[in-house]
Amino acid sequence: MLIRVLALSAGLAILAGCAAPTRYIDPAADDGAVALTMDYRDFDKAATDAVEDMLSSGAVNNPNGGRYIMVVSRVTNDTMQRIDTDQLTKKIRVALLRSGKVVTTTAVGLNGAEDEMTQKARELRNSEEFDQSGVQRKGSLQAPDLSLSGKILQRNHKVDKEQQVEYYIQLSLTDLASGLAIWEGETPIIKRGSDKAVSW
Amino acid sequence: MKSVLLAGMLVLGLAGCASQPETSSVIDRAELKVDPEVIYTMDVTELLKTRLEQPGGDSLLQVQFAVEARSDTELAWNVTWFDASGIMVKSVGEGYRKATLLTGQTRYFNATAPSTRVTTFQLHLREPK
């Protein structure tokens, strides 16, 4: 009995020793293995490509001076994975805000305001409980000038004994005054790997 | 009186020993940093920079570089941006951008500064592991 317990303990100890230790990954210095699914590095690349192209093309230069106001519209996930497209749009929003050229409104959205507090705060109007000098006035909200929309596509192919997974991150920036797409971009992300790996 | 003088000298002596924080200095930072492994497989044939005029009189720094491969190889590159004080300006992504080069191929890459505050940069080329 004792021998069995000892052997089992030794086996567990060896297995625990072989397991990869949990560690932090620094996104600025990650040379780790590539997954067939979309990972943070893919969103990083797509956001970098999009923002650099928007800035260098002059599409986000407001001819009237000041910053453009952007609203995030629908970014469709047409892949086999569950992707929260905010992972992409947030990076773009943050970078555009830092550039000083675009600010994003959270008061308007396809499925209601991203931050409902903008409207809630206005419900305090005429409330005797609140000092009205601090309550937001009528007509103070700013309407968006630009809308960011897009789609993420996935296509799978079998190449020899491997599989090729293609992702296309397509984005458009629409001028809401004219309805014209003043900037469009596509970042293809192509991966090839084991046919046994899953891309969903 | 003697003790006051001694205390004064001690304080001055200690103040002299304390390291003074560097508040401002001109940093001579190389614009191009190439790892030795990369030099074996490719040549950096050009490094260009231009400023894109913006409304309001500002301008945006844009960098372009070209590499010519002597053999099939892989490259990772990253541009770090700095403002006039030499302080790093955050870019959109943090990671290295990867590229594959075929023998004899010349590829051109460019990067645009994330803000008009950027005045200088450092381009780092390395071999991905």
Side-chain angles (χ1 to χ4, degrees):
Chain A
M1 182 64 184
L2 186 65
I3 291 171
R4 269 190 198 169
V5 170
L6 277 172
L8 191 65
S9 304
L12 283 173
I14 289 165
L15 280 175
C18 293
T22 304
R23 63 238 190 247
Y24 285 108
I25 300 296
D26 182 354
D30 183 9
D31 262 344
V34 179
L36 272 180
T37 50
M38 283 193 79
D39 70 9
Y40 80 91
R41 287 173 287 193
D42 302 323
F43 291 112
D44 208 66
K45 177 178 164 44
T48 302
D49 284 0
V51 172
E52 288 199 358
D53 199 38
M54 281 182 203
L55 293 176
S56 62
S57 68
V60 289
N61 288 344
N62 190 339
N64 303 320
R67 298 183 292 186
Y68 269 129
I69 300 169
M70 185 179 84
V71 65
V72 177
S73 181
R74 184 169 290 120
V75 178
T76 308
N77 171 21
D78 190 15
T79 70
M80 297 165 199
Q81 298 157 53
R82 192 193 170 279
I83 293 171
D84 187 339
T85 53
D86 280 357
Q87 216 179 333
L88 173 69
T89 56
K90 193 60 155 183
K91 274 185 180 296
I92 295 172
R93 284 168 58 163
V94 169
L96 288 176
L97 181 65
R98 281 203 199 119
S99 75
K101 292 180 179 295
V102 179
V103 61
T104 302
T105 174
T106 57
V108 193
L110 282 180
N111 302 312
E114 183 182 319
D115 187 350
E116 292 172 9
M117 196 51 72
T118 309
Q119 283 302 330
K120 282 277 178 200
R122 279 161 174 75
E123 288 172 16
L124 307 177
R125 208 173 285 145
N126 300 325
S127 166
E128 289 179 358
E129 299 297 329
F130 288 86
D131 173 2
Q132 291 297 302
S133 66
V135 176
Q136 304 305 322
R137 286 170 291 127
K138 279 187 180 176
S140 60
L141 288 179
Q142 302 215 7
D145 307 300
L146 304 172
S147 167
L148 179 71
S149 61
K151 195 176 200 181
I152 306 175
L153 302 168
Q154 178 179 350
R155 293 289 172 267
N156 285 24
H157 306 279
K158 200 167 176 201
V159 183
D160 294 329
K161 286 175 183 171
E162 290 186 309
Q163 70 171 311
Q164 178 169 302
V165 186
E166 301 170 358
Y167 300 100
Y168 299 93
I169 299 171
Q170 303 174 332
L171 291 166
S172 299
L173 197 61
T174 303
D175 175 7
L176 292 171
S178 64
L180 303 174
I182 56 165
W183 175 89
E184 295 194 88
E186 183 183 66
T187 302
I189 290 168
I190 317 295
K191 299 181 179 189
R192 212 170 280 162
S194 165
D195 202 20
K196 287 170 187 159
V198 286
S199 57
W200 41 269
Chain B
M1 183 63 185
K2 241 182 190 177
S3 59
V4 171
L5 272 173
L6 273 171
M9 283 173 72
L10 189 65
V11 166
L12 281 173
L14 283 173
C17 291
S19 61
Q20 296 298 309
E22 193 116 340
T23 51
S24 169
S25 66
V26 177
I27 296 161
D28 189 19
R29 194 181 277 119
E31 287 184 342
L32 178 63
K33 211 174 128 191
V34 186
D35 285 4
E37 298 83 17
V38 172
I39 299 168
Y40 289 127
T41 53
M42 66 187 80
D43 291 316
V44 180
T45 53
E46 62 184 63
L47 174 60
L48 307 172
K49 54 186 171 178
T50 183
R51 292 204 75 98
L52 307 168
E53 294 304 318
Q54 304 289 295
D58 288 333
S59 61
L60 205 57
L61 182 62
Q62 193 173 42
V63 174
Q64 177 179 294
F65 70 97
V67 284
E68 188 177 351
R70 284 191 286 270
S71 59
D72 289 5
T73 188
E74 293 202 324
L75 171 72
W77 62 279
N78 188 32
V79 182
T80 311
W81 308 99
F82 304 94
D83 68 12
S85 314
I87 305 294
M88 192 191 85
V89 177
K90 265 196 157 185
S91 47
V92 188
E94 287 184 278
Y96 279 78
R97 299 186 224 189
K98 307 233 168 51
T100 304
L101 287 100
L102 303 173
T103 306
Q105 187 183 25
T106 301
R107 288 196 65 184
Y108 299 84
F109 303 97
N110 60 46
T112 305
S115 158
T116 52
R117 290 191 296 123
V118 170
T119 56
T120 56
F121 68 96
Q122 185 173 66
L123 169 65
H124 181 208
L125 306 184
R126 56 180 281 270
E127 192 180 63
K129 288 195 181 91

